[in-house]
Amino acid sequence: MMLGALPAQAYMSPEATSLYQQACTYEYKQDFKSAAAALEKAIVLSGNEPQLYTKLAGAYTELGEYDKALAAYAKVTELRPTDAFIYVSMGSIYEHKGDYKAALDSYNKAMILFPEYKFNYLNIANAQYQLKDYKSATETYNKFLETYSQHKEARESLAASYLMIGDAEKAVTEYDKLYAADPNNFNDLDKYGYALFCTKDYAKSSDILAKYIEKRPDDLNSRSILALAYQEQDKNDLAYAQYQEIFTQKPDLHAVR
């Protein structure tokens, strides 16, 4: 997170300004510890300047000192309560900490303050997905894709969310788009194959899962689904070969036997 150039401030003292500029130099040299130290000194001199806290939070974020970064951002929200992007930054830190509920709360505050920032829908949807609120996630991913229709990761997550709520048909629709757009770099062959199996498209499911198994021969769950897809097509020799491989890798899978 680059500290950037100092904006004009009417109430930052000359001494604080000098320390801020020193912090910018330290940051340019990737010396975030010294940058944070300079900013802390500047805050002693000009403690009501939100820009100092914002930059300090950025330095602490680079250092991985997330609690200190959040404390600095919290001070910014007191001094500049209508700045939506501070809440976006806080949400990002909460995600790094694994506190997805707090992340979602921060992103929602940003959305209230600045609803025109449509990219924030992705932040909200990702937090909802991590909280296992897949239904809400599908709704929010769709809102995001209304504006950013070519965003690959969002569409992948939307498809996965549909699969998690049991809507395999919509999951297949999304995976179809992704696979058609870039089959060589498609990431979710296993999920795609499973979604196709759930919609009873066994031929296509077995084709997709066979490609996945070539890359991940140790995924026994996907092998089982592939075997079942072959059985549904009366391709019992192919199904038997998959079961044999499963038992070779893990002989104690009695349920599969």
Side-chain angles (χ1 to χ4, degrees):
M1 184 178 294
M2 302 298 289
L3 294 177
L6 177 67
Q9 299 291 344
Y11 43 87
M12 187 183 295
S13 71
E15 295 85 355
T17 299
S18 177
L19 287 164
Y20 184 98
Q21 296 290 7
Q22 290 177 36
C24 290
T25 300
Y26 285 130
E27 187 273 342
Y28 181 77
K29 296 177 180 179
Q30 304 289 296
D31 184 355
F32 300 109
K33 186 174 182 179
S34 295
L39 289 163
E40 290 279 15
K41 292 177 182 178
I43 285 170
V44 173
L45 300 171
S46 296
N48 291 321
E49 171 48 57
Q51 188 69 18
L52 290 174
Y53 291 100
T54 302
K55 301 307 182 184
L56 177 61
Y60 277 133
T61 299
E62 293 288 355
L63 290 167
E65 297 190 37
Y66 297 128
D67 289 338
K68 289 183 178 180
L70 287 169
Y73 279 133
K75 184 64 177 180
V76 179
T77 64
E78 296 176 13
L79 297 170
R80 200 164 60 205
T82 60
D83 189 337
F85 292 101
I86 297 303
Y87 289 105
V88 172
S89 296
M90 293 176 73
S92 178
I93 293 175
Y94 282 124
E95 282 199 75
H96 279 293
K97 288 168 59 69
D99 189 346
Y100 299 108
K101 176 64 170 63
L104 181 60
D105 289 343
S106 291
Y107 293 141
N108 280 331
K109 287 177 183 177
M111 184 61 71
I112 292 170
L113 290 169
F114 190 21
E116 295 82 5
Y117 181 51
K118 304 298 184 182
F119 202 88
N120 193 32
Y121 281 126
L122 181 60
N123 297 324
I124 293 171
N126 287 339
Q128 290 169 332
Y129 186 92
Q130 292 295 334
L131 290 166
K132 303 186 188 307
D133 184 1
Y134 301 115
K135 186 176 186 301
S136 296
T138 61
E139 296 169 357
T140 310
Y141 281 126
N142 274 310
K143 289 179 181 178
F144 174 77
L145 288 165
E146 287 175 5
T147 303
Y148 303 95
S149 61
Q150 302 304 312
H151 198 284
K152 178 182 176 183
E153 289 77 14
R155 198 166 296 281
E156 288 173 344
S157 296
L158 173 60
S161 297
Y162 278 135
L163 204 52
M164 294 303 294
I165 64 174
D167 197 336
E169 290 186 2
K170 287 185 179 178
V172 166
T173 297
E174 299 304 326
Y175 285 132
D176 281 344
K177 295 174 185 176
L178 289 161
Y179 190 71
D182 191 4
N184 294 326
N185 294 299
F186 184 78
N187 297 322
D188 295 324
L189 289 169
D190 56 334
K191 295 176 183 176
Y192 187 22
Y194 176 67
L196 288 163
F197 181 87
C198 291
T199 61
K200 300 183 179 182
D201 189 346
Y202 302 119
K204 192 170 182 179
S205 174
S206 60
D207 179 58
I208 294 294
L209 286 172
K211 292 177 181 178
Y212 173 71
I213 292 300
E214 289 179 5
K215 300 179 179 180
R216 284 289 309 277
D218 60 332
D219 189 335
L220 302 187
N221 183 61
S222 293
R223 275 194 186 276
S224 298
I225 298 168
L226 175 58
L228 290 170
Y230 282 140
Q231 281 184 257
E232 292 290 346
Q233 300 171 77
D234 293 325
K235 296 180 178 180
N236 293 322
D237 289 343
L238 293 175
Y240 182 77
Q242 293 302 319
Y243 287 130
Q244 285 292 94
E245 181 59 33
I246 290 171
F247 296 135
T248 298
Q249 293 191 41
K250 196 166 185 181
D252 60 345
L253 285 179
H254 301 297
V256 174
R257 188 179 298 279

